[in-house]
């Protein structure tokens, strides 16, 4: 047991430390070295050395388990501490048992000396009765067999415990409630609210809300992601890591996959990215990524792959198993500057800067192969910025391309709205920097003065036609979104209630729906989320502190 425990401790520093320890950790390495060094005198030393080893091993075990419990409390851990904790415990148990063992030969000698009269010498003759000696030898043999079997059992127990320790730690920190998969299609996405409402009271402040297959997924500050049915607001499934703050929550464009990241309160270098089935809530896989990649939007789930951009390299992972499928690097002589990436419905869009051209390249998300490319000739720098900017709509249907430093030629299209799946140029706005693609399916064209919007138009990507949106009904919206038929705004927000104004894109009169969102969070740190989802138009308040505001669905 002592030897196997020492081997487990020696392996532990080479295992993943997860989010709490994304790199080599001095505490884990120091404890592992200490456990291994303590195991040596425990196994081969004298009695005094074994007593010292037992005391030291007990202290090392207490330290290792204290670190492990600290990880479990915050809902994050790696593979290293669970294995180290099992190894240190095995060494401690073995060391204590060895220190408590008395020499068998010494006891036998003392007993024999007391039984013989003074001056007598033992005599062993061939004629002596052999049966007692044979019986004693049999007893010793059976004892040795018992010790051998016990040692094998101890080795197996320690090895199995170390192998399952990371899984056991994961089971302790995760609270998961799943449901069976549904075989029927989801309800259509609600584009304008009707007369019915439902409300769900979150147990903690809302972090974000994203649309999923049959409603929305709501992330809360207590480390939970809860799926709500769009029709009535009931809880469908729940995945939580109590104590672990949620970093971001994302949904794929087909709404079948949810990605949630968890960050550490003490180490901000990495985050744990968990991929969930949006229908059932079942976890698919988990990966640890650098925090900067998660926080700058370099991770996105798609219909068939989860893509991650790290510098100039794009990697695609199977959306179900997490197995790596492909890696892409810029072609020879070209660059793809980090920080810029957009996602289509089944494609990944990257800026590509070559010696003579600037443009965008689309990769198939399932294979990583090039699907299409749009390029324009580079102009001489002359001290001006040469750059490519990409902004896709949330549904992945359209991407806004902006090229800075392109040569003006009759056939060059440096700015415009492109079909994200085919690369076809849809329309060329006169002033592309005023186009907003983040609001929804229909882009908006804003004109502002001094940070205040003075004119607003809905832009049809297919035709380039614009429709003016009146500002009088909601001059200062706290949130807005577009669907294929409406422009929706959250207006007149006083911290307790607001009005949802729905403006049809065909020029029909707007409709107003009052909504009560009366939480007691700080008004200075509040934000509103509007989400068009299957079954309901969902509105929520992101706040800090106090009583959380309800999540409301408008049907």
């Amino acid at each position: 047991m002592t030897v196997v425990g020492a081997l487990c401790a020696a392996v532990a520093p080479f295992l993943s430390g997860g989010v709490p320890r994304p790199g080599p950790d001095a505490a884990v390495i120091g404890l592992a070295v200490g456990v291994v060094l303590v195991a040596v005198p425990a196994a081969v030393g004298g009695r005094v050395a074994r007593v010292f080893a037992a005391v030291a091993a007990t202290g090392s075990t207490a330290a290792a388990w204290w670190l492990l419990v600290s990880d479990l409390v915050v809902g994050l851990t790696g593979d290293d501490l669970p294995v180290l904790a099992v190894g240190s415990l095995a060494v401690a148990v073995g060391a204590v048992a060895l220190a408590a063992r008395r020499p068998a030969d010494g006891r036998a000698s003392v007993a024999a000396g007391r039984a013989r009269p003074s001056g007598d010498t033992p005599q062993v003759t061939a004629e002596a009765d052999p049966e007692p000696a044979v019986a004693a030898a049999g007893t010793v043999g059976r004892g040795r067999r018992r010790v051998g079997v016990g040692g094998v059992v101890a080795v197996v127990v320690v090895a199995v415990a170390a192998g399952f320790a990371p899984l056991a730690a994961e089971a302790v920190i995760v609270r998961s409630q799943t449901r069976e998969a549904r075989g029927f299609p989801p309800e259509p996405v609600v584009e304008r609210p009707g007369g019915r409402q439902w409300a769900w009271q979150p147990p903690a402040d809302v972090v974000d809300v994203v649309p999923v297959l049959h409603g929305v997924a709501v992330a809360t500050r207590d480390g939970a992601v809860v799926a709500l049915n769009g029709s009535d607001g009931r809880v469908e499934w729940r995945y939580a890591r109590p104590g672990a703050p949620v970093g971001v929550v994302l949904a794929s464009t087909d709404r079948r996959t949810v990605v949630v990241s968890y960050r550490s309160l003490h180490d901000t270098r990495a985050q744990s990215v968990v991929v969930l089935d949006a229908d059932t809530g079942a976890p698919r896989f988990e990966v640890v990524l650098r925090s900067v990649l998660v926080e700058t939007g370099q991770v996105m789930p798609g219909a068939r792959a989860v893509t991650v951009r790290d510098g100039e390299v794009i990697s695609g992972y199977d959306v179900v198993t997490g197995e790596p499928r492909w890696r892409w690097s810029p072609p020879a002589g070209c660059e793809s500057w980090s920080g810029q990436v957009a996602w289509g419905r089944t494609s990944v869009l990257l800026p590509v800067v070559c010696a003579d051209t600037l443009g965008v390249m689309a990769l198939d998300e399932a294979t990583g192969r090039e699907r299409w490319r749009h390029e324009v000739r580079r102009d001489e720098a002359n001290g001006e910025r040469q750059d490519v900017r990409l902004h896709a709509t949330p549904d992945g249907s359209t991407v806004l391309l902006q090229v800075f430093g392109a040569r003006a030629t009759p056939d060059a299209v440096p700015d415009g709205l492109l079909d994200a799946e085919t690369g076809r140029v849809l329309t060329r706005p006169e002033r592309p920097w005023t186009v907003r693609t983040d609001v929804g399916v229909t882009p908006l064209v804003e004109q502002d003065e001094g940070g205040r919007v003075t004119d607003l138009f809905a832009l049809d990507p297919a035709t380039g036609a614009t429709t003016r949106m009146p500002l009088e009904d909601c001059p200062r919206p706290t949130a807005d979104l577009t669907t294929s038929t409406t422009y929706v705004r959250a207006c007149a927000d006083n911290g307790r209630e607001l009005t949802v104004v729905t403006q049809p894109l065909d020029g029909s009169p707007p409709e107003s729906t009052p909504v009560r969102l009366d939480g007691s969070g700080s008004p200075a740190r509040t934000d509103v989320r509007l989400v068009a989802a299957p079954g309901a138009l969902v509105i929520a308040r992101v706040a800090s502190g106090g009583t959380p505001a309800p999540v409301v669905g408008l049907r």
Side-chain angles (χ1 to χ4, degrees):
M1 179 175 281
T2 304
V3 173
V4 176
L7 291 175
C8 293
V11 170
F14 298 97
L15 302 177
S16 170
V19 173
R21 291 166 301 281
D25 187 79
V28 174
I29 295 174
L31 278 175
V33 171
V35 171
V36 172
L37 292 179
V38 164
V40 175
V44 300
R47 180 171 178 79
V48 175
R50 288 179 174 178
V51 171
F52 169 79
V55 174
T58 302
S60 299
T61 301
W65 281 87
W66 181 82
L67 288 177
L68 177 59
V69 171
S70 299
D71 275 6
L72 298 180
V73 169
V74 299
L76 295 166
T77 189
D79 296 339
D80 54 354
L81 269 185
V83 173
L84 177 59
V86 171
S88 63
L89 180 61
V91 170
V93 172
V96 170
L98 289 170
R101 179 181 296 175
R102 294 182 180 180
D105 294 340
R107 290 198 306 270
S109 300
V110 172
R114 290 176 180 174
R116 290 194 301 269
S118 179
D120 291 350
T121 57
Q123 296 182 358
V124 179
T125 62
E127 290 79 6
D129 187 359
E131 292 183 4
V134 172
T139 303
V140 173
R142 287 194 299 272
R144 288 175 178 170
R145 285 195 295 271
R146 286 195 296 269
V147 172
V149 172
V152 172
V153 172
V155 168
V156 172
V157 169
V158 173
V160 171
F164 281 95
L167 297 177
E170 183 78 8
V172 169
I173 62 179
V174 173
R175 302 287 185 270
S176 181
Q177 174 188 346
T178 61
R179 61 152 297 137
E180 295 182 357
R182 283 163 281 200
F184 54 88
E187 290 195 30
V189 173
V190 171
E191 302 198 353
R192 55 193 305 171
R196 292 181 294 168
Q197 297 186 17
W198 55 256
W200 175 73
Q201 182 62 47
D205 293 329
V206 173
V207 175
D208 208 349
V209 182
V210 295
V212 294
L213 196 61
H214 292 276
V216 292
V218 182
T220 55
R221 295 194 186 278
D222 59 353
V225 179
V226 179
L228 305 179
N229 188 284
S231 299
D232 52 20
R234 71 177 182 274
V235 175
E236 298 280 6
W237 54 260
R238 185 175 186 271
Y239 180 91
R241 293 192 173 197
V246 174
V248 298
V249 59
L250 307 167
S252 59
T253 54
D254 65 355
R255 301 188 294 273
R256 295 181 178 274
T257 303
V258 174
V259 168
V260 56
S261 73
Y262 291 96
R263 52 188 175 85
S264 172
L265 293 171
H266 310 293
D267 194 317
T268 59
R269 291 175 295 171
Q271 294 190 23
S272 178
V273 178
V274 182
V275 179
L276 306 172
D277 185 293
D279 186 20
T280 66
R284 293 175 179 170
F285 64 93
E286 179 181 355
V287 64
V288 176
L289 297 175
R290 291 189 298 138
S291 290
V292 65
L293 301 181
V294 179
E295 294 167 353
T296 58
Q298 307 301 296
V299 181
M300 180 62 67
R304 299 177 63 183
V306 176
T307 52
V308 179
R309 173 162 187 158
D310 192 348
E312 290 194 314
V313 178
I314 304 289
S315 302
Y317 301 88
D318 188 280
V319 76
V320 176
T321 65
E323 294 294 325
R325 294 302 184 193
W326 53 267
R327 287 171 63 87
W328 178 90
S329 297
C334 300
E335 297 177 304
S336 181
W337 294 330
S338 61
Q340 278 290 298
V341 63
W343 281 270
R345 287 173 175 166
T346 61
S347 59
V348 184
L349 312 175
L350 305 166
V352 178
V353 180
C354 301
D356 300 321
T357 60
L358 298 164
V360 55
M361 178 184 294
L363 307 179
D364 187 288
E365 69 160 10
T367 63
R369 297 191 182 97
E370 180 180 339
R371 181 179 290 179
W372 57 263
R373 188 187 303 195
H374 181 92
E375 296 177 321
V376 293
R377 303 290 296 179
R378 291 182 69 163
D379 200 358
E380 293 187 11
N382 296 326
E384 297 181 358
R385 179 178 63 166
Q386 292 188 321
D387 198 2
V388 179
R389 296 290 176 182
L390 303 173
H391 305 279
T393 54
D395 68 333
S397 61
T398 309
V399 60
L400 173 64
L401 169 68
Q402 293 177 268
V403 179
F404 302 90
R407 183 180 303 174
T409 60
D411 60 342
V413 183
D415 304 291
L417 288 169
L418 279 60
D419 186 295
E421 297 301 289
T422 65
R424 182 172 60 91
V425 178
L426 300 175
T427 185
R428 296 188 61 186
E430 293 183 6
R431 296 189 296 173
W433 58 89
T434 64
V435 177
R436 289 180 59 196
T437 59
D438 62 314
V439 285
V441 178
T442 303
L444 296 177
V445 180
E446 289 184 347
Q447 298 179 9
D448 65 88
E449 293 180 4
R452 181 174 179 271
V453 177
T454 58
D455 217 349
L456 185 68
F457 299 87
L459 174 62
D460 185 344
T463 65
T466 59
T467 304
R468 189 178 183 276
M469 296 287 102
L471 301 176
E472 297 78 15
D473 298 310
C474 186
R476 294 184 179 274
T478 54
D480 60 352
L481 68 84
T482 62
T483 67
S484 60
T485 61
T486 58
Y487 176 44
V488 185
R489 290 165 286 180
C491 311
D493 185 4
N494 61 13
R496 291 190 175 276
E497 57 186 8
L498 52 78
T499 300
V500 174
V501 177
T502 305
Q503 174 67 58
L505 300 183
D506 59 5
S508 302
E511 300 176 357
S512 298
T513 305
V515 178
R516 191 169 181 84
L517 292 177
D518 53 346
S520 60
S522 171
R525 301 183 62 185
T526 183
D527 198 2
V528 173
R529 296 289 191 271
L530 274 172
V531 177
L537 183 69
V538 178
I539 183 168
R541 189 184 299 281
V542 176
S544 177
T547 303
V551 177
V552 178
L554 309 178
R555 288 183 48 77

